[in-house]
Structure formats: C-alpha cells, structure tokens
C-alpha cells in the first residue's frame, strides 16, 4: 500500500504527474476511430478523394511526360532543321529570293562547332508532264517518282547508306554534273540492277547517270523513294525551288550541341539576312519533363485541393460531433486523472489517424488509377517516390488541421459539467 | 484492499479533512451550494451523505473528489493541502488517490468490461504490462471474472455498476466516492451492489457514499446530512 503521508514540510508534495504514453495515445486514438467504422469511413471519403486525385494527376503527368521522353531519342536530340523564311509574308520578296540558302551553305553550317553534317534539299518542281524514265524515248508512261535536289552534305546528313556505287560530292555539284543517287526500290522500279553499265535515268528528258543505289537513310527515310540529284544540276535545269516548297536544311550535330548550333545557324548561313533562316532546335528534354503544365492538369489539382478542404471540413465536423457526443467520456477521463492536454492529444490523434488512413487509401487508389491507365495505354507507369511518400502526409496534415478546433473544445470541457450528464 | 489496514477508524489517519470548506458557484446569481463546513473522514471509514435533491450532495462530492476547487476553506486529502496545488498536481492526485462511481456508470459503450477497467490505469503511470492482470483481479473482486470480454451494452445495470466499481478500485485509491451508486438500479440489484460496498469497507477501503435513500444511508457507519448546502453530522445510530 502506498504511503499516505507524502506531504513535505513547506514544499509541494511529491505527486507523480499524470501521463499518457505514446502507445496509449495511439491505441486510444485507434479505438476512438474504429468504434464507429462506418462513420469513420464516410468521414475519410473527402480525404481519400482529395489525396487520390492528387496522386493520380501527378502520377499520370509523370507517366505521360516520360513517354514523350522515351520517344525523344538520341537521333532527334542531335538534329536541327532550318527553314527558308525569306518573304514569308511578302510575296514580292519571295519571288526575288526564291532560295535564301547560299551556294556554300553546307560549308558554312559545317564550319560551326559541333556540326557533323549539314545539307540543303528541296523537291524539284517538275511539271505535270515531266516524269522519270529509264530510257530517253518519250511517249511511254513515265513513273511518277519524286525528284529531290540534295546538296552533297545532305546525303551525309540524311545518313544515307549506299548498297552499291557512291554518293555524288561537291565536285559534281559545283560543275552541275547530271548524276543521281536512287533508293533501292526506285532502282528496281526503273529496271536498274547494276551500276556497271553506267545506267541513266531521264528526268523530264534530261539524262542523269546513276552513281549510287542507297539502301538506307536513317534520318530521312523518305529520300529512299526518290531520285536524288545535286543542287547545282537541279538549279541549272529547273531553277530554284517552288515557293510552296522552299528549300530546307538538315543539320546533324554532336550530342548536346543542337541548341547552341541552332542559335548560331541563321547568322552563319546568312550574315546579311539572318532573319531569312529559321533554325528549329530539338525540343528541350527538360521542358518535356517539367510536369504539370496543361490547364487541365491544373484544374484537376485544384479539384484535388477542393476535395481535401471538403475532407478537412468533414473530419472537423465529425470530430466536433464526437467531442459533443463524448462529453461524458471526457469528464470520466478527467476524473481518472487525464489533463486537458491529454484530451487534446487524444482527439487530435483521432482526427490525424482519420486523415492519415484517408491519405493512405487515397494514395493506393491514385496509384492503382495510374497503373490502370498505363496498362490500357501500353505505357510504363512512372511515379515520383516523393509523390507517393508525401500523399499520406498530406492526409495526416489535413486531419491534424481539421482536429485542432474540436480538440481544443474538448480540452476546455469542465469535468464537473461533463460528469453531470 | 489487502486487509492490512487493521487500525480502527478512531485512531486512523484522516483521508479527508475539510476545514471550513465551502463552495459558491459564481453565477449570476451566485449560488452558495456548500456552506463552509468541517468534516474529517478517517482511513477505513464508511460515511454516507444524505440530503434531498438540490441540497448540494454532488457539489460536496465534486469538492471531495478534486473535480471542483472550494471557494472557501482548506481541504486536505491524505494530509496534502489541495488548495496549494497547481492544476497539474490536482489532476494527478485525483487520478491516483480517488476512485469514482457514478449513478449513470459512465462506461465507454464500445469497450469491453476489461477495457473499461484498463482505462483507469492509462493516465496514472501503471506500466502497460501490469494492467491486464490488475484489471482482471479487480473484475474478479466485484464478481465479474467471467464477464471480462462483455460490452457494457450487453450487461445488466447491476453488472455495469460492478464494472464501474472495479474501475474505481483498480488504481488502489485512498478514497472511493460514490454518487447515488444505486440510483439507476432496482431494489434487488441495488442490494447486491451495496453488499459489494460493505465488503470493500470490510477490506479496509475508505468510502464516501452519496444517496437520498435513507435505507442506503443506514449502511454506513456514519451518516452526514446536507440540507440547503449546510452539512450536519447525524447522531450515531
Ligand atoms: N455549475 C453550477 N452553477 C450554479 N449553480 C449550480 C451549479 N451546479 C449546481 N448548482 C446548484 O447547486 C445546488 C446543489 O446542487 P447539487 O448538484 O450539488 O445537488 P444534489 O444534492 O446533488 O442534487 P441531486 O440529488 O438532484 O443530484 C443546486 O441548487 C444546483 O442548482
Ligand atoms: Mg447530485
């Protein structure tokens, strides 16, 4: 039995203070939450929806942008396109400057740091009548095969691989020689099987010696379906490009140099009129990853925030009702030695647990949504670990905020009042 | 409760000592619910408090149970001057030295009998490991050893009040305060609860039982009457 005389002369008596251990707090809070499971589930719904929407939006955004990332491969990252925009809005200037790329465009671009290959190309404007034939005889129906004027640099930039023969070079180009490179399929259609006999194709009646047959064109596969002729010959025979399909340039750079090269190209090509050259760098991979940008995503995040607020109000309301309902219990606990702060802690822990459980369920549902949508679209689900870790915490914080007022009310309940019930 | 308290009430140390203790509710209008009074309850005594409704019995009990602080006089519990205590210490003292039994039981409806008894040990530092055994012992003491897992809602009124008594006993208080313990019970059930109180008294526990029923009051060795807030000792029978 305890000693009954603890009073010390003159001093405060030795009374061990009331306490509420963390374990007791947790089990009291869980018991409080679980004693009305249906009500707790309904109360938690707002938090579940809020956190679930939040996780799903961030997860889907991350997943979608990572799909763009994977399409954004090494090839496109090292490619710069240049368009000829001279006279874009001015038809007169367009007529005056039909081809803004200078003759030495390949060399000018190639001189830039980080450029591995560069070339100019355009579809040759052949009239309706002009066709590509394997013999000079007119009359027989020619094949409608596109003819592309491509500078020697273009053949390298396109990554042309030759099955037989060779590509034409700047010597042919400079002298406007009538030579051609054709794709494997085009060669077959024109009946060309070997280059030993120095075969020729006739474009609108002009003979071109086929010097090479291409098997592949890594960066511009559609070239394989055309007859490629040097720029010089094309200009001499058919003049500059048609205004509807002006010349373009393809520049291949080293990895990481594309954006810098794109910035320098206009001035390097046309120091006198850089505004005629529009260089298009590859999309910035960082830009692709910069998460939530679209208006729709922001709208959904707003909805998630609204759900969270509704969830918080729901928890606050239920906790307040519980505090009023459980006035007797509060009085009893005070009679059993609980301090006001123990009562605060208990109700705060209950609403926090409510919020945390809602957050956990919401995170699970949100993650399942992301996985489900990814499965439907054949995507690889991608989620930031931060999102998954932070989401239940958001629920917890919601619960704590919602519980502040009711818990404060509970601690203010006078035990004598409470026990009178 | 171990029967070691053999000292007769007359020579035993005082558990409750009221020195001109009074309580006036501030109002408005102010209600002098307990006029300044003197009272000493010694260890092992069984004192009943009688009085008509509204006479101030619950007020007296709240003061004795450290739930309300008196507005006049000095109250010593186990020799400790409670008026000098900070709120924190009053609360701790209440949890450790006083057991309450209420007319309306105040059991948590969603917790079993055992869990309700366990609650009395949450706040006053009983190690978790000892609690279940002590709660079981207390329930056995009140004759409910076979009902530990039952919910209060599935129990009779008498059983509920026994659970409440077990909860009040389990922390080994110096003083058991009962406010109308049989007020919600029929005569037969009330008798069994009163027998339990008699047994606890025989074990040496100090009891202060409030009632408006003269038959219940007669159970105590001493009876104190309250009328309009005035406390008077009745002549010993
Ligand atoms: N918080 C309070 N504020 C003002 N007056 C109060 C308060 N509590 C009780 N009273 C008054 O004090 C007086 C004594 O009340 P108390 O509850 O002690 O009576 P009681 O003897 O327990 O009555 P009953 O037998 O009906 O329970 C009553 O007149 C009551 O109205
Ligand atoms: Mg009363």
């Amino acid at each position: 039995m305890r000693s009954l005389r603890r009073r010390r002369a003159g001093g405060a008596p030795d009374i061990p203070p009331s306490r509420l251990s963390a374990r007791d707090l947790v089990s009291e809070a869980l018991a409080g939450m679980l004693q009305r499971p249906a009500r707790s589930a309904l109360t938690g719904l707002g938090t579940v929806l809020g956190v679930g929407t939040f996780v799903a939006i961030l997860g889907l955004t991350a997943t979608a942008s990572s799909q763009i990332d994977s399409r954004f491969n090494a090839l496109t990252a090292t490619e710069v396109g240049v368009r000829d925009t001279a006279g874009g809005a001015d038809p007169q200037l367009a007529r005056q400057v039909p081809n803004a790329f200078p003759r030495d465009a390949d060399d000018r671009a190639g001189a830039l740091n980080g450029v591995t290959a560069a070339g100019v190309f355009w579809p040759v404007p052949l009239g309706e009548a002009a066709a590509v034939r394997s013999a000079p005889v007119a009359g027989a129906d020619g094949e409608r095969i596109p003819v592309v004027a491509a500078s020697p640099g273009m053949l390298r930039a396109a990554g042309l691989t030759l099955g037989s023969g060779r590509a034409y070079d700047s010597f042919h180009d400079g002298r406007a020689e009538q030579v051609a490179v054709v794709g494997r399929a085009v060669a077959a259609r024109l009946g060309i099987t070997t280059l030993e006999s120095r075969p020729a194709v006739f474009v609108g009646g002009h003979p071109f010696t086929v010097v090479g047959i291409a098997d592949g064109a890594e960066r511009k596969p559609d070239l394989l379906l055309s007859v490629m002729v040097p720029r010089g010959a094309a200009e001499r025979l058919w003049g500059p490009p048609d205004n509807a399909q002006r010349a373009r340039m393809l520049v291949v750079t080293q990895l990481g140099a594309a954006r810098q090269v794109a910035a320098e190209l206009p001035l390097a090509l046309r120091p006198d009129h850089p505004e005629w050259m529009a260089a298009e760098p590859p999309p910035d991979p960082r830009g692709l990853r910069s998460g939530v940008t679209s208006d729709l995503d922001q709208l959904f995040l707003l909805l998630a925030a609204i759900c969270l607020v509704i969830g918080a109000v729901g928890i606050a309301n239920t906790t307040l009702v519980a505090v009023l309902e459980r006035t007797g219990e509060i009085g009893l606990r005070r009679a059993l030695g609980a301090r006001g702060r123990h009562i605060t802690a208990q109700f705060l822990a209950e609403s926090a647990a409510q919020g945390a459980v809602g957050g956990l369920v919401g995170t699970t549902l949100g993650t399942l949504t992301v996985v489900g949508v990814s499965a439907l679209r054949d995507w690889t689900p991608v989620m930031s670990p931060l999102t998954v870790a932070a989401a239940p915490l958001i629920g917890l914080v919601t619960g704590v905020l919602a519980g502040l007022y009711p818990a404060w009310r509970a601690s203010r309940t006078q035990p004598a009042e409470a026990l009178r019930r | 409760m171990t029967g070691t308290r053999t000292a007769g009430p007359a020579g035993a140390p005082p558990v409750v000592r009221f020195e001109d203790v009074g309580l006036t509710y501030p109002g408005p209008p102010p209600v002098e619910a307990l006029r300044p009074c003197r009272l000493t309850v010694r260890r092992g005594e069984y004192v009943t408090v009688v009085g008509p409704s509204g006479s101030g019995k619950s007020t007296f009990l709240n003061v004795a149970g450290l739930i309300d602080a008196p507005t006049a006089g000095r109250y010593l519990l186990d020799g400790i001057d409670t008026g000098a205590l900070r709120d924190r210490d009053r609360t701790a003292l209440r949890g450790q030295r006083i057991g309450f039994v209420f007319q309306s039981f105040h059991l948590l409806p969603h917790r079993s009998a055992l869990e309700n008894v366990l609650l009395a040990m949450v706040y006053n530092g009983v190690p978790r490991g000892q609690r279940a055994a002590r709660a079981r012992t207390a329930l056995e003491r009140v004759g409910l050893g076979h009902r530990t897992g039952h919910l209060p809602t599935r129990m009779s009124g008498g059983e509920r009040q026994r659970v409440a008594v077990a909860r009040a006993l389990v922390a080994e208080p110096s003083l058991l305060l009962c406010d109308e313990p049989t007020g919600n019970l029929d005569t037969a059930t009330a008798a069994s609860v009163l027998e339990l109180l008699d047994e606890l008294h025989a074990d040496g526990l100090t009891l202060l039982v409030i009632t408006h029923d003269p038959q219940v009051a007669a159970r105590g060795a001493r009876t104190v009457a309250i009328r309009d807030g005035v406390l008077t000792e009745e002549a010993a029978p």
Side-chain angles (χ1 to χ4, degrees):
Chain A
M1 282 283 118
R2 147 195 315 131
S3 148
L4 295 182
R5 286 187 185 272
R6 293 211 181 176
R7 196 177 169 203
R8 289 175 183 166
D14 177 23
I15 305 163
S18 302
R19 53 192 297 272
L20 179 60
S21 73
R23 269 186 72 180
D24 284 327
L25 176 61
V26 170
S27 54
E28 289 298 318
L30 287 181
M33 193 176 73
L34 295 178
Q35 70 189 25
R36 293 185 177 274
R39 184 198 280 190
S40 298
L42 284 176
T43 307
L45 209 57
T47 328
V48 169
L49 285 179
V51 174
T53 318
F54 175 79
V55 168
I57 300 298
L58 290 188
L60 285 176
T61 312
T63 302
S65 56
S66 89
Q67 308 312 309
I68 301 169
D69 281 1
S70 66
R71 256 179 279 146
F72 179 84
N73 53 28
L75 273 188
T76 44
T78 53
E79 226 173 72
V80 179
V82 186
R83 280 183 301 118
D84 169 3
T85 55
D90 180 355
Q92 201 181 334
L93 180 67
R95 243 171 285 125
Q96 275 169 19
V97 189
N99 186 357
F101 288 102
R103 281 237 39 117
D104 58 350
D106 290 16
D107 294 338
R108 283 171 175 271
L112 288 178
N113 247 343
V115 173
T116 54
V120 178
F121 67 99
W122 68 85
V124 170
L126 293 170
E128 272 299 304
V132 176
R133 296 191 180 83
S134 51
V137 204
D141 235 16
E143 295 271 359
R144 294 230 60 94
I145 298 170
V147 178
V148 173
S151 67
M154 178 60 198
L155 299 189
R156 283 193 301 279
L160 215 64
T161 46
L162 289 153
S164 55
R166 59 194 185 88
Y168 49 78
D169 54 26
S170 47
F171 173 78
H172 296 113
D173 190 29
R175 293 176 31 146
E177 287 204 8
Q178 293 180 203
V179 289
V181 172
V182 298
R184 173 71 63 196
V186 173
R189 276 165 73 185
L190 293 170
I192 300 167
T193 49
T194 171
L195 296 181
E196 269 166 37
S197 55
R198 298 185 61 76
V201 290
F202 295 83
V203 181
H206 303 287
F208 282 79
T209 309
V210 177
V211 295
I213 297 176
D215 282 343
E218 194 180 25
R219 287 175 189 273
K220 220 161 164 11
D222 52 331
L223 281 183
L224 293 177
L225 301 175
S226 64
V227 174
M228 291 156 266
V229 301
R231 178 180 172 174
E235 272 175 339
R236 183 168 59 78
L237 293 172
W238 299 290
D242 192 63
N243 194 41
Q245 288 182 301
R246 295 178 73 93
R248 299 173 61 87
M249 184 172 222
L250 178 67
V251 182
V252 177
T253 74
Q254 287 163 2
L255 202 61
R259 299 190 72 78
Q260 181 63 29
V261 166
E264 292 169 359
L265 269 171
L267 206 62
L269 290 169
R270 288 303 295 250
D272 52 341
H273 285 292
E275 74 276 10
W276 288 351
M277 306 272 91
E280 292 158 345
D284 187 348
R286 278 166 304 175
L288 289 174
R289 263 190 222 101
S290 77
V292 193
T293 45
S294 87
D295 293 345
L296 201 61
D297 288 343
Q298 281 171 3
L299 184 70
F300 273 121
L301 280 187
L302 186 70
L303 281 178
I306 292 173
C307 283
L308 275 181
V309 171
I310 294 172
V313 171
I315 292 179
N317 184 48
T318 313
T319 313
L320 193 58
V321 168
V323 165
L324 299 179
E325 251 180 20
R326 287 157 68 186
T327 306
E329 176 187 334
I330 295 170
L332 172 77
R333 286 176 186 273
R334 295 299 302 265
L336 294 176
R339 297 173 65 189
R341 64 175 61 174
H342 296 150
I343 303 294
T344 308
Q346 183 192 339
F347 282 96
L348 212 50
E350 271 183 37
S351 65
Q354 184 104 65
V357 169
L360 275 176
V361 174
T363 309
T364 311
L365 292 182
T367 310
L368 286 178
T369 306
V370 174
V371 171
V373 170
S374 301
L376 282 179
R377 299 242 183 144
D378 259 343
W379 286 352
T380 314
V382 175
M383 289 186 78
S384 152
L386 201 67
T387 308
V388 181
L393 283 183
I394 292 177
L396 183 82
V397 170
T398 307
V400 169
L401 290 180
L404 281 178
Y405 174 69
W408 177 78
R409 274 285 297 267
S411 77
R412 300 267 301 177
T413 307
Q414 290 304 311
E417 298 276 330
L419 286 170
R420 208 167 288 144
R421 313 242 167 156
Chain B
M1 276 144 286
T2 45
T4 49
R5 285 185 277 198
T6 47
V15 176
V16 173
R17 191 180 184 93
F18 275 20
E19 295 178 357
D20 300 321
V21 166
L23 191 143
T24 305
Y25 289 110
V31 179
E32 204 173 10
L34 184 65
R35 302 199 186 238
C37 64
R38 294 177 159 266
L39 178 75
T40 303
V41 178
R42 292 182 184 278
R43 197 210 282 172
E45 275 197 291
Y46 184 170
V47 178
T48 49
V49 181
V50 288
S53 182
S55 57
K57 303 184 298 292
S58 295
T59 305
F60 167 79
L61 180 119
N62 285 349
V63 172
L66 297 175
I67 286 175
D68 273 336
T71 50
R74 223 159 66 104
Y75 168 31
L76 293 99
L77 175 67
D78 284 341
I80 300 167
D81 182 357
T82 59
L85 296 180
R86 288 174 297 170
D87 190 54
R88 189 188 83 161
D89 293 325
R90 288 171 57 83
T91 304
L93 203 62
R94 175 167 72 226
Q96 289 157 25
R97 310 256 174 127
I98 294 170
F100 291 92
V101 176
F102 305 97
Q103 177 175 353
S104 53
F105 319 131
H106 278 302
L107 297 173
L108 301 192
H110 298 279
R111 309 233 185 149
S112 69
L114 188 76
E115 287 167 334
N116 268 288
V117 176
L118 285 173
L119 200 62
M121 293 178 282
V122 166
Y123 298 100
N124 44 26
V126 179
R128 275 184 85 96
Q130 301 176 10
R131 291 183 200 164
R134 279 176 68 167
R136 256 177 247 284
T137 310
L139 281 169
E140 276 159 20
R141 177 69 196 81
V142 300
L144 286 178
H146 58 300
R147 288 280 154 88
T148 56
H150 281 228
L151 288 178
T153 44
R154 299 275 182 88
M155 293 178 139
S156 72
E159 287 173 328
R160 288 185 209 184
Q161 197 58 300
R162 284 162 185 276
V163 174
V165 172
R167 182 182 63 198
L169 289 178
V170 76
E172 299 187 347
S174 316
L175 176 65
L176 193 64
L177 289 178
C178 310
D179 193 351
E180 304 272 11
T182 56
N184 280 3
L185 304 177
D186 61 59
T187 325
T189 329
S192 79
V193 170
L194 290 172
E195 261 159 46
L196 174 61
L197 294 182
D198 285 346
E199 286 170 31
L200 296 176
H201 170 55
D203 285 351
L205 197 71
T206 313
L207 285 159
L208 205 50
V209 177
I210 285 178
T211 179
H212 64 268
D213 182 344
Q215 292 200 315
V216 175
R219 293 263 185 168
R222 242 175 101 193
T223 303
V224 174
I226 301 187
R227 209 165 288 271
D228 291 334
V230 181
L231 190 139
T232 46
E233 186 105 16
E234 297 212 330

